[in-house]
Amino acid sequence: MTAALLNVDQVAARLQVSRWTVYQLIRSRELASFTIGRCRRVSETALHDFITRQTEREVA
């Protein structure tokens, strides 16, 4: 089974943040992404990993 790919708008909706914030996370390499043609995509796995890391930082 392969992970679903999300666009920036979908990631923003799941995190309840703006598109700008998602692009900042991508630029800072906190959120892994890649391009297909001119489209930026984030795998569900990368999003889950990001959320896990953020949660662990808050707990520590």
Side-chain angles (χ1 to χ4, degrees), residues 18-32:
S18 68
R19 292 181 65 200
W20 187 87
T21 299
V22 175
Y23 280 117
Q24 286 295 104
L25 291 170
I26 291 169
R27 278 188 211 99
S28 68
R29 298 182 186 249
E30 291 183 61
L31 179 61

Side-chain angles (χ1 to χ4, degrees), residues 16-60:
Q16 298 179 348
V17 298
S18 68
R19 292 181 65 200
W20 187 87
T21 299
V22 175
Y23 280 117
Q24 286 295 104
L25 291 170
I26 291 169
R27 278 188 211 99
S28 68
R29 298 182 186 249
E30 291 183 61
L31 179 61
S33 71
F34 57 93
T35 56
I36 300 175
R38 295 181 62 203
C39 301
R40 177 68 55 183
R41 295 291 183 251
V42 175
S43 71
E44 283 188 334
T45 303
L47 181 58
H48 180 267
D49 292 346
F50 169 76
I51 293 168
T52 300
R53 283 192 311 275
Q54 291 302 109
T55 302
E56 288 172 354
R57 284 184 195 167
E58 292 296 318
V59 171

